[in-house]
Amino acid sequence: MGAYLVRRLLLVVPTLFGIIAINFAVVQLAPGGPVEQMIAELKGKGGGMTERVAGGGTETSASRPPPGEGTAYRGRRGLDPALVADIRKLFGFDKPPLTRFWLMLRGYLTFDLGRSFFRDRSVLTLILQKMPVSISLGLWSTVLVYLISIPLGIMKAVRDGSRFDVISSLFVLIGYAVPGFLFAVLLVVLFAGGSYVQWFPLRGLVSEGSQDWSFPARVADYLWHMVLPITALVVGGFATLTILTKNCFLEEIRKQYVVTARAKGAGEQRILYRHVFRNAMLLIVAGFPSAFIGILFTSALLVEIIFSLDGLGLLGFESAIRRDYPVMFGTLYIFTLLGLLMQIAGDMLYTVVDPRIDFEARR
C-alpha cells in the first residue's frame, strides 16, 4: 500500500501541471482580458459589450479578436499609449506568456498564488476567507445526502417492487429531475419572503451583530441561515446516490453467497448487515471524497448566488467574468489539488471498507 500511495502522490504533479497548462493556454486565446477590462472602465464602458469598427461592421465582445490582433479596440482609442503600456505592466502583460506561466508555477510551489487584479488582495487570503462558506455548504449537504440516501436505498432494495418502493421512487424522480438551483428559487419564494412567509433569512451565513451573541445563539443563528441552501443542495443531490445504493444492494442480494447463507438458516438482518452491507457499500462509501468535492465546487455555485453566500463558487464566477486571472488560476490550482488528493483518499477508503482489497497486487 505504501508504494501505491507514493506512486499516486507522484502522479499528482504531472496531472496538476497538465491541467493548469491547458487552462492557461485556453485563457490566452480567449477574447478580452484584464487590460481591456481596465481600459473599458477608464473609458466609462464598464467592461461590457465593447464595440469595434472593422470593415464597416459592428462586433461585440463575443466576436472580437484577442488583444494584439486585428483592429484596435475602440475603448483603447483616445488613451495615451504610455498609459496603456503602464496598465499592461501593472497586470504583468508586458512579459511573454511563457514567462508569465513559469513565474506563476514558481509561486505555486510555495503557495504564493499572487494578488487579485481588481480586489488588490492576496489570492490565498481571498480563498481562505471564502472557504468557510463553501465548506459549510459542501460538508453538511454531503453528510445529509448520505444519511438520507443510504437508508432509503437499502429500504428500497429490501422492499423492491412494493408500494413503498413505488411511492419513494416518485420523490426520487422529482429530486433527480429538478435542479438544485431551481428548488432554491422555490424555497426563496415560499419561505424567504418571496410571496408567502419569511421564516428564514435570504442572505449570508450569520445575522448582523451576531458576533456579540452567546455561543448557543450564534450556533442557532448559523443553522437557521443554512436551512434553505442545504435543503436545496440535498434535494438536488440525494436521488442519484439513492438509486446507486438500491442497485448495489439488489445486485448483492441476488448473488449466490446470499442464497447459501439463507440455506444455512442465517436471519435476514444478519445476511443484510454482516454479508451484503460491506460488499454493497464499497462503491458508495469510497465515493464520499469525490462527492464532497463535487458538491463543494460545482453544485453550490448557483445556490451561493441565489442566497447571496460569498463562497468559493461566487468568487470563481466573478473572477471569470472580470478576467481576474490570478484568482481564476489560483482557485483552479486549489480545486484541482484538492480533487486529486480526494481521489487518493477515496482509494484508501476502499481498503478500509474491504481489507481484502490490495492495490499492490494489481498489474
Side-chain angles (χ1 to χ4, degrees):
M1 178 58 68
Y4 172 79
L5 182 59
V6 171
R7 289 197 302 269
R8 288 296 304 273
L9 289 175
L10 290 177
L11 281 174
V12 168
V13 178
T15 305
L16 193 60
F17 174 83
I19 293 174
I20 294 176
I22 292 173
N23 282 272
F24 185 86
V26 170
V27 166
Q28 304 312 304
L29 300 175
V35 175
E36 282 64 38
Q37 293 271 351
M38 178 63 71
I39 291 173
E41 290 182 4
L42 291 176
K43 297 291 292 183
K45 296 181 181 296
M49 301 301 288
T50 304
E51 298 179 350
R52 71 180 184 90
V53 178
T58 301
E59 296 183 6
T60 65
S61 58
S63 59
R64 64 190 180 190
E69 298 183 9
T71 307
Y73 291 106
R74 175 181 293 179
R76 183 176 297 180
R77 296 175 183 176
L79 290 180
D80 186 356
L83 176 60
V84 176
D86 289 339
I87 294 175
R88 292 183 61 84
K89 185 177 181 179
L90 175 66
F91 292 135
F93 282 85
D94 57 328
K95 303 180 180 66
L98 281 179
T99 302
R100 288 188 278 115
F101 179 68
W102 289 115
L103 288 175
M104 182 180 70
L105 289 184
R106 189 175 67 181
Y108 284 180
L109 293 177
T110 58
F111 279 88
D112 180 9
L113 307 182
R115 296 186 68 84
S116 169
F117 285 157
F118 299 101
R119 297 172 185 259
D120 194 27
R121 298 183 62 186
S122 166
V123 174
L124 186 59
T125 300
L126 285 173
I127 292 176
L128 293 178
Q129 180 184 356
K130 313 299 182 182
M131 187 72 78
V133 176
S134 295
I135 288 181
S136 295
L137 291 174
L139 181 61
W140 292 121
S141 57
T142 304
V143 169
L144 287 176
V145 163
Y146 269 75
L147 289 178
I148 294 172
S149 300
I150 291 177
L152 181 59
I154 294 175
M155 288 188 291
K156 286 175 65 64
V158 173
R159 305 178 186 181
D160 185 38
S162 66
R163 179 178 299 179
F164 171 80
D165 183 37
V166 174
I167 296 176
S168 60
S169 294
L170 176 62
F171 291 99
V172 170
L173 181 61
I174 295 174
Y176 185 82
V178 179
F181 74 90
L182 188 59
F183 196 78
V185 173
L186 178 63
L187 291 176
V188 169
V189 172
L190 294 179
F191 303 113
S195 299
Y196 296 92
V197 297
Q198 190 170 4
W199 291 347
F200 300 97
L202 183 58
R203 60 178 64 245
L205 283 183
V206 293
S207 299
E208 185 177 354
S210 61
Q211 62 272 12
D212 298 327
W213 300 354
S214 64
F215 179 74
R218 293 201 305 270
V219 172
D221 180 65
Y222 165 77
L223 295 176
W224 182 47
H225 281 76
M226 293 296 294
V227 168
L228 294 187
I230 293 299
T231 301
L233 289 174
V234 170
V235 170
F238 86 101
T240 302
L241 185 59
T242 299
I243 297 301
L244 176 63
T245 304
K246 176 186 176 181
N247 292 338
C248 288
F249 272 81
L250 278 179
E251 182 180 357
E252 294 297 324
I253 288 173
R254 293 166 180 170
K255 288 186 176 179
Q256 186 62 41
Y257 74 89
V258 175
V259 177
T260 303
R262 285 172 177 163
K264 291 181 178 180
E268 290 296 324
Q269 294 296 320
R270 179 182 177 85
I271 293 173
L272 182 63
Y273 293 104
R274 289 289 299 274
H275 301 284
V276 174
F277 189 84
R278 184 177 64 179
N279 296 327
M281 290 298 295
L282 187 60
L283 292 175
I284 300 168
V285 173
F288 180 85
S290 59
F292 172 67
I293 289 294
I295 293 180
L296 181 59
F297 297 135
T298 56
S299 303
L301 170 58
L302 293 176
V303 173
E304 285 184 12
I305 295 174
I306 292 171
F307 290 102
S308 300
L309 300 174
D310 196 9
L312 290 174
L314 188 58
L315 175 66
F317 174 76
E318 291 177 347
S319 64
I321 294 298
R322 300 204 67 184
R323 302 295 197 273
D324 197 345
Y325 291 159
V327 178
M328 288 173 57
F329 290 117
T331 53
L332 173 67
Y333 175 72
I334 296 296
F335 293 174
T336 306
L337 180 61
L338 287 177
L340 293 173
L341 294 178
M342 283 298 184
Q343 287 182 353
I344 298 176
D347 287 347
M348 298 301 102
L349 274 178
Y350 277 112
T351 61
V352 174
V353 177
D354 191 347
R356 297 172 298 176
I357 296 177
D358 184 8
F359 289 105
E360 297 292 346
R362 298 195 309 173
R363 296 184 181 272

